[in-house]
Amino acid sequence: QVQLVESGGGLVQAGGSLRLSCAASGRTFSGYTMGWFRLAPGKEREFVSAIRWSGGRTYYADSVKGRFTISRDNAKNTVYLQMNRLKTEETAVYYCAAGVYSGSYVYPRGYDYWGHGTQVTVSS
């Protein structure tokens, strides 16, 4: 069965960094887009970043471009999100997702599988 497991969340001070990991298993993801979304209390799920498993094309929300980097490790079947210069307003649960719909990477409906999320708390 397909499983996505996030890790790496935690408490960090504003301006600090975290690296999130998404371990994917259960199938070959070569034809998939891997995405990161975040959900803050009282807000809708927000697109953060995405990467094509094959080819490695990357996409970023304007709010994180220049600070966040998405990458993948084929040998470990893992996707990473390096987050630098974090802001307090970026406190949220961060979710990893996988989808085959290449044109829908900014929307949750474009993804077929989801992890359970990892909490990121940015303190002031």
Side-chain angles (χ1 to χ4, degrees):
Q1 57 187 42
V2 173
Q3 187 174 36
L4 304 176
V5 180
E6 303 97 333
S7 62
L11 176 64
V12 65
Q13 291 184 322
S17 299
L18 284 174
R19 189 179 75 161
L20 306 182
S21 298
C22 174
S25 62
R27 65 150 294 144
T28 299
F29 291 91
S30 59
Y32 277 69
T33 299
M34 309 297 293
W36 287 97
F37 289 77
R38 61 192 177 193
L39 181 63
K43 300 183 66 176
E44 295 184 352
R45 193 164 302 201
E46 177 188 25
F47 169 75
V48 178
S49 186
I51 186 169
R52 307 291 192 195
W53 194 269
S54 298
R57 179 78 176 272
T58 58
Y59 309 89
Y60 297 94
D62 288 342
S63 61
V64 307
K65 193 172 185 178
R67 297 186 297 115
F68 289 13
T69 302
I70 191 170
S71 62
R72 72 196 193 285
D73 186 324
N74 291 338
K76 297 181 179 180
N77 218 33
T78 299
V79 177
Y80 304 96
L81 184 67
Q82 178 67 46
M83 306 186 294
N84 297 326
R85 291 180 280 129
L86 281 159
K87 305 174 182 180
T88 56
E89 58 264 38
E90 293 175 316
T91 292
V93 178
Y94 283 69
Y95 295 89
C96 176
V100 74
Y101 311 109
S102 60
S104 303
Y105 62 86
V106 300
Y107 303 109
R109 64 176 178 268
Y111 295 84
D112 303 296
Y113 307 105
W114 293 83
H116 293 304
T118 185
Q119 176 71 47
V120 172
T121 302
V122 186
S123 64
S124 61

